[in-house]
Amino acid sequence: LSANQLSGEVPPEVGNLASLRVLSLSNNQLSGEIPPALANLANLEHLNLSANQLSGEVPPEVGNLASLRVLSLSNNQLSGELPPEVGNLASLEGLDLHGNELSGELAPELGNLANLEHLNLSDNELTGEIPPELGNLTGLESLRLSNNQLSGELPPELGNLASLRVLSLSNNQLSGCVPKVLQDQLASHDLGDLPFCP
């Protein structure tokens, strides 16, 4: 139902569609909060609510969507912290929350997403350090964290990201250097003032 000029709130009754595999409501004018009842969609593989006017926090119940492979909530007005329960989504391959108002620190539990290939949390208000647990994501191909308020030294564990091709870290308050092992494997990078380690 994407790009249909839908308005109003996402009805919680959608959570009754027990066999639903794909729910795409992107590029509408939906507002209000994400209903926790969506967590009842045990077979859901793809959830796309991007480019709406959704507000409130990402419900921790989203961590119950055991079959979810893609979660896209980008370009909304979501706020608060990213719930650590997101780390329960063992099948997740893509997580895109860029262009919101998310704050707080990155949950170390993100390092549990063993199948994650794409992580985009850019253009938010995230603070604190990048958790070294992100170095566990050996299948990660793109990591975008630019335009936040992240600080501290870049964890050397990022050098474990053997599949990484895209790295975006600019417009933060990060220090240190980018592991040299990434220099040759990155096809695209936006590092701001961060150098590669010698």
Side-chain angles (χ1 to χ4, degrees):
L1 296 173
S2 59
N4 268 297
Q5 300 180 359
L6 297 173
S7 59
E9 300 192 355
V10 179
E13 290 82 1
V14 172
N16 298 333
L17 303 173
S19 299
L20 200 67
R21 293 181 183 274
V22 177
L23 176 58
S24 181
L25 299 172
S26 62
N27 293 286
N28 283 292
Q29 289 104 47
L30 297 169
S31 57
E33 299 192 356
I34 298 171
L38 294 185
N40 298 333
L41 301 173
N43 294 301
L44 198 67
E45 297 176 2
H46 193 124
L47 177 59
N48 188 350
L49 302 177
S50 61
N52 279 287
Q53 295 152 30
L54 298 170
S55 58
E57 300 191 355
V58 177
E61 291 85 355
V62 80
N64 298 336
L65 296 170
S67 300
L68 203 63
R69 291 192 291 116
V70 175
L71 176 59
S72 182
L73 304 175
S74 62
N75 293 312
N76 280 288
Q77 295 152 29
L78 299 171
S79 58
E81 297 190 10
L82 183 62
E85 287 83 359
V86 170
N88 298 337
L89 300 173
S91 301
L92 204 64
E93 297 170 6
L95 177 59
D96 187 355
L97 298 172
H98 83 271
N100 280 289
E101 299 162 19
L102 297 173
S103 58
E105 299 191 359
L106 290 176
E109 288 82 359
L110 290 173
N112 298 338
L113 301 173
N115 291 302
L116 200 64
E117 297 175 359
H118 304 284
L119 176 59
N120 190 348
L121 299 174
S122 59
D123 300 292
N124 278 289
E125 298 165 16
L126 298 168
T127 56
E129 300 186 358
I130 295 175
E133 288 82 1
L134 292 189
N136 299 337
L137 305 176
T138 52
L140 198 66
E141 296 174 12
S142 65
L143 175 60
R144 294 180 168 94
L145 299 174
S146 57
N147 298 307
N148 279 289
Q149 297 158 31
L150 298 169
S151 58
E153 289 217 6
L154 211 60
E157 287 82 359
L158 294 185
N160 299 334
L161 301 177
S163 303
L164 200 66
R165 298 292 177 266
V166 177
L167 179 61
S168 180
L169 299 172
S170 62
N171 294 315
N172 283 289
Q173 288 102 48
L174 296 165
S175 58
C177 57
V178 179
K180 185 171 177 58
V181 67
L182 297 178
Q183 187 167 5
D184 293 331
Q185 71 184 55
L186 289 175
S188 170
H189 58 79
D190 176 16
L191 306 178
D193 297 330
L194 290 170
F196 285 101
C197 300

